[in-house]
Amino acid sequence: MSNAVVGEKQKKWTILGQDPDVLLAMWANVVSWCVSTFFPSFLPKLLPKCDQEETTVVKGSNTTTVGGPTRCISIGRPGGMEQLRLVSLKPGIVTMGYNIAKGTAYTPKPILTEQDIPQDCVILRNEAFSVNYADCTIRWGLYESAKQFVGYPIVPGFDIAGTIEKVPEQDPTNDNKKKHNWKVGDRVFGCTLFGAYSSRVLVPSMQLRKIPQDWTIAQAAALPAVSLTALYALSLAGHFPQQGKYSNKAILIHSAAGGVGSMAVQMAKLLGLSPVVGVVGRTAKVEEARSLGCDVVIDKSQQNLWEEARAASPQGYTCILDANGVSTLQDSYDHLAPTGRLIIFGFHSNLPLGRAMLSPLEWIRMAQKQSKMPQFDPMDLTVSNKSVLGFNLSFFADETEIVSDMFDQIVEWAETKQIRCPKVVEMPMNEIANAHDLIQSGKSVGKIVMNTSG
């Protein structure tokens, strides 16, 4: 199995100008909503099984027993919460990221011995994984990299933390720089390009790091995706790896008490940005944002966001980090200073909050919001000296060097206690639907982490 799989992007065909994947996701979600609303007893018929799933469960077996079956959360097709199925896999089958093999969430064949493990990979006994808002969009069928590189069924999730269970049999003739240096029993954390909602994951060894001293498994599982996203955003903004030399050093961070925001606030302080202005959506999040290091916290549920933003930095901002989407993108751009950069990495307000399923009305609302998305004139970008940049790290399978360097920096900051882990809410794996409901509600603070033993 090759570790580099992302090829050239093929031109997609459309149906009446629409992406067929989006139309399929819409149809699947509407079917789920209709059945749940009018014929709930038929919901089990909407749960497709996969070939790797164990249909006969051995009595007394569990994920905490060494050699026991791998358990994972499988999403059989786009839909509502009913698609989040906790299943056991056949012996030797584990989950993995798409940079090991595309088009499947599971190892193509059982891994029964060390010889079956690729030289640059290890088997992780995964003890905890985090929940990101992206996982909800995967369940809805709206996450592009998941559709493009895996398809359905899919095991979502990026963050992993646990113990090395198996390492490959070493080939002395192999001089691959990516080969592992881990030992069985090492406590590690890191990222996988999907496949994290699992008790056992095949993962490239270079995507793992030693858990910082005094950190719990849950804290380690909360860190990778949000910290890498935050640091890459600051890199695009021109403030990492060297501190930016722009005269304006003000930064505004939306969702400052959330996962990415909480890390971006701390990193912005370390990189010399000031004032660090954090925006939160609820009064209950103000103290958390302030404790992270925000010089100014704007509670947009009680205050006029942009009046307060202008008061905090009358000359505008060198950088604004925005994952809100249509609700704030234009205003964020308007409040950049000359040479300022708007960094976009999400579109939360384009999607419904607090909805377990997407009804026909929700699809109409999403279409209306999409039609209101701002367009940035290249000539205006030039004369105003502003930049708009976007990214999604789930497409970075080939960018191993830059991601590895950023991960090393994050671990260094964590080990020297210059950054702290986001606030963690722990839940057992079998409550994954409740976790999705919580993160969709917009009421979560920090990170939600699932324990795979539950």
Side-chain angles (χ1 to χ4, degrees), residues 49-128:
K49 293 181 171 57
C50 62
D51 294 338
Q52 295 85 355
E53 184 177 335
E54 183 66 85
T55 55
T56 303
V57 179
V58 179
K59 186 176 180 180
S61 66
N62 63 74
T63 189
T64 59
T65 303
V66 175
T70 296
R71 297 197 308 166
C72 68
I73 304 295
S74 175
I75 298 176
R77 65 162 184 80
M81 299 293 189
E82 83 284 350
Q83 293 300 322
L84 296 168
R85 298 176 57 242
L86 177 57
V87 302
S88 294
L89 302 180
K90 293 178 179 178
I93 300 295
V94 303
T95 63
M96 63 179 183
Y98 77 79
N99 58 330
I100 298 175
K102 283 196 296 184
T104 176
Y106 313 99
T107 48
K109 61 180 182 179
I111 295 180
L112 302 175
T113 68
E114 285 75 8
Q115 289 89 343
D116 298 325
I117 303 174
Q119 282 291 301
D120 58 349
C121 295
V122 298
I123 298 290
L124 178 72
R125 168 65 69 166
N126 192 32
E127 299 171 36

Side-chain angles (χ1 to χ4, degrees), residues 248 315-320 331-343 384 386-388:
N248 185 312
Q315 304 305 314
Y317 292 85
T318 184
C319 172
I320 296 181
D331 285 318
S332 290
Y333 176 79
D334 293 340
H335 286 78
L336 291 174
T339 72
R341 302 181 187 184
L342 172 58
I343 311 299
S384 64
K386 297 179 180 180
S387 301
V388 179

